[in-house]
Amino acid sequence: MTATRPAPEGTRLGELWRILPEEATASGDGVLEIGGVAVTELAERFGTPLHVYDEAGLRRQIRRFVDGLRDRWPNSEVLFASKSLPAVGMYRIAQEEGLSVDIAGGGELQLALAAGVDPARLHFHGNAKTDAELRMALDAGIDTIIVDNDDELDRLERLLERPQRLLLRVIPGVEAKTHASQATGGVHSKFGLPLDQAERAIARMQTHPLMRFEGVHLHIGSQILDTAQFAEAVAKISTVGTFGTYDVGGGLGISYTYAEEAPSVESYLDAIVAAARAYLPADARLLIEPGRSIVARAGVTLYRITTVKRTGRTFVAVDGGLADQMDIALTQQRYEAIIADRLHEPWTETVQLVGRQCESGDLLVDGAPMPPARVGDLVVMAGTGAYAYTMSNNYNGALKPAIVFVGDGDARLVTRRETYDDLLATHAPALAGALV
Ligand code: LLP
């Protein structure tokens, strides 16, 4: 049976293909396939909940950024904001596709190094880096530390034994139009130094014998859909002074819902580079740090329905929830979800798609249209490739899902599912291993 992208009457499937992974199709009998592998097969082989990534689409999206920025501003670098998907398999792909990588803590540093990322392509962020983390990063020989504050400069003064490249994070005073928890460029941000304090910190770095001050950094926030805000940030950063490097952060949003219309990578790059041409020195090095816009669309989460309850409202509950989709509670992110093994059936019900964690806020989709749900059906939540795995947790003893990469009809396990033994290993090590 040939794979297609059907749009049956009485569904919104036609619109959904836009937010599902690029390599998503439907088999002739109405089962969602990603990278040529049916979700039914994925669920059987790897279990649920499961994070599934379309590897070809992911690599294509990376190249849109890497080639697109190089074409527009050759003296440039695209850093993958690895907090969006800190998995060894992803760090490997980043390295293979020519991305540099930004890390925001010792754990991400360890994962990147374990994946074989060249330390010369690592940039270290954070507003509260510890001595131990800085020492680890310096020992590893990472390329750049993005300094957040004066206390960090005190630490570096104590720790530096050889020259180290540094950028300074500044607060541009750009209020990103996004959820408050994702806006990081406003005047009251906890990240970076206000513009009027930057000069002193820069002078300190420029006069220290081992500090190689290269330039300035900003990041105005995440899930931003208006490219003019990025251009505004570039204009703001130019006011700090004339330097060799300008890192203008990440933040490009994606389309999560049928209604949302995210800018393309190309129009984002056009906006940033037009502003760079207008405001930055022509020979400056331009860095960007996309995370979400690289990995979000390529990834979906696969669940199995465990309960269907009709109490006046229809509650369809799956075998995961808040523990693996934290941002629904944190940022009220809205998603679309479908029953993925009955794509040809009309969507005649609107349900509350809920998880299994003990919170009423564990509502995956508030009003999801679907065919009448049955226990055992497979549900796919679209656009969960960024920040879902990374913020997953053990609420109610939940186990963090596995990650698989699919492509060319094949699936490979990239990160295994946590086990009860993993839980016991931290809480009751003497008992770990005793479980089946
Ligand atoms: N650079 C810096 C310094 C960042 O803090 C971030 C994200 C990025 C780049 C990448 O931004 P992106 O391109 O992914 O928007 N937990 C939230 C997302 C927090 C984003 C944190 N910083 C969520 O689930 O939406």
Side-chain angles (χ1 to χ4, degrees):
M1 274 177 276
T2 47
T4 55
R5 293 187 143 198
E9 194 127 342
T11 75
R12 300 188 75 174
L13 208 50
E15 297 161 74
L16 195 69
W17 295 114
R18 188 174 64 88
I19 57 178
L20 281 167
E22 292 180 36
E23 299 293 323
T25 53
S27 70
D29 53 356
V31 175
L32 183 71
E33 296 185 345
I34 300 169
V37 187
V39 291
T40 41
E41 184 190 328
L42 291 169
E44 223 159 88
R45 259 182 81 188
F46 301 102
T48 51
L50 183 69
H51 294 301
V52 182
Y53 286 82
D54 153 23
E55 186 169 341
L58 178 60
R59 288 180 185 268
R60 212 177 288 130
Q61 183 74 343
I62 294 174
R63 288 195 291 270
R64 285 182 191 118
F65 274 104
V66 173
D67 299 345
L69 185 60
R70 194 197 301 112
D71 289 349
R72 290 166 174 80
W73 192 281
N75 187 13
S76 62
E77 202 171 339
V78 182
L79 319 183
F80 170 54
S82 71
K83 68 194 77 176
S84 60
L85 183 58
V88 165
M90 180 59 207
Y91 284 108
R92 288 211 176 104
I93 288 182
Q95 164 105 344
E96 284 165 15
E97 295 293 345
L99 289 167
S100 294
V101 171
D102 95 38
I103 51 167
E108 288 179 1
L109 173 61
Q110 294 296 344
L111 291 167
L113 294 175
V117 175
D118 181 355
R121 287 163 76 167
L122 290 176
H123 297 236
F124 187 15
H125 278 291
N127 67 312
K129 304 179 190 82
T130 65
D131 275 11
E133 286 176 313
L134 285 169
R135 208 173 291 123
M136 212 191 295
L138 294 171
D139 288 348
I142 72 158
D143 186 81
T144 301
I145 295 174
I146 293 108
V147 174
D148 181 272
N149 56 67
D150 292 299
D151 293 325
E152 190 176 335
L153 286 177
D154 293 347
R155 288 173 195 277
L156 285 170
E157 274 183 354
R158 276 189 277 108
L159 295 171
L160 283 182
E161 287 171 359
R162 49 173 192 269
Q164 175 63 48
R165 264 193 281 278
L166 304 173
L167 295 177
L168 177 70
R169 180 162 182 170
V170 297
I171 303 175
V174 176
E175 295 286 351
K177 286 178 263 169
T178 186
H179 190 276
S181 139
Q182 292 165 315
T184 51
V187 287
H188 298 303
S189 173
K190 74 166 179 176
F191 301 102
L193 288 178
L195 297 181
D196 60 1
Q197 291 178 28
E199 200 178 321
R200 194 170 35 88
I202 290 170
R204 197 173 157 191
M205 285 184 262
Q206 283 172 329
T207 50
H208 190 282
L210 296 179
M211 295 186 180
R212 297 278 176 273
F213 174 71
E214 303 273 321
V216 281
H217 167 279
L218 60 74
H219 170 70
I220 58 171
S222 199
Q223 185 54 17
I224 295 164
L225 297 173
D226 177 1
T227 57
Q229 294 217 287
F230 297 111
E232 189 188 340
V234 174
K236 273 279 165 60
I237 205 172
S238 72
T239 66
V240 187
T242 304
F243 311 114
T245 301
Y246 296 85
D247 181 336
V248 297
L252 176 63
I254 71 143
S255 309
Y256 280 101
T257 62
Y258 300 119
E260 221 156 32
E261 208 39 90
S264 65
V265 173
E266 290 71 26
S267 58
Y268 161 79
L269 293 175
D270 283 345
I272 283 201
V273 170
R277 289 207 182 98
Y279 296 104
L280 300 183
D283 59 351
R285 189 159 179 71
L286 179 64
L287 272 50
I288 61 171
E289 301 174 340
R292 183 189 308 271
S293 51
I294 287 182
V295 292
R297 180 183 172 192
V300 302
T301 311
L302 182 59
Y303 294 107
R304 204 177 279 285
I305 295 176
T306 51
T307 307
V308 179
K309 192 158 53 179
R310 294 187 166 83
T311 62
R313 307 191 97 175
T314 302
F315 290 100
V316 173
V318 296
D319 54 0
L322 189 63
D324 35 78
Q325 305 291 349
M326 207 34 222
D327 59 353
I328 293 175
L330 191 64
T331 69
Q332 284 75 53
Q333 183 58 58
R334 290 176 52 239
Y335 288 92
E336 306 292 357
I338 50 165
I339 292 188
D341 48 358
R342 295 197 279 133
L343 296 182
H344 294 336
E345 293 182 29
W347 298 357
T348 50
E349 252 195 316
T350 299
V351 310
Q352 297 299 91
L353 184 71
V354 298
R356 53 173 300 157
Q357 268 75 53
C358 300
E359 302 250 347
S360 288
D362 182 14
L363 174 58
L364 295 174
V365 180
D366 183 1
M370 52 178 60
R374 296 190 296 240
V375 171
D377 278 339
L378 290 171
V379 165
V380 156
M381 257 175 77
T384 61
Y387 299 108
Y389 178 77
T390 194
M391 293 196 294
S392 58
N393 58 74
N394 299 121
Y395 191 7
N396 294 145
L399 302 172
K400 294 184 191 171
I403 302 175
V404 297
F405 282 12
V406 292
D408 294 330
D410 244 352
R412 63 187 173 100
L413 186 68
V414 160
T415 301
R416 73 156 169 80
R417 181 180 307 288
E418 268 188 342
T419 62
Y420 292 128
D421 262 352
D422 291 332
L423 277 188
L424 288 184
T426 45
H427 295 279
L431 294 178
L435 284 183
V436 245

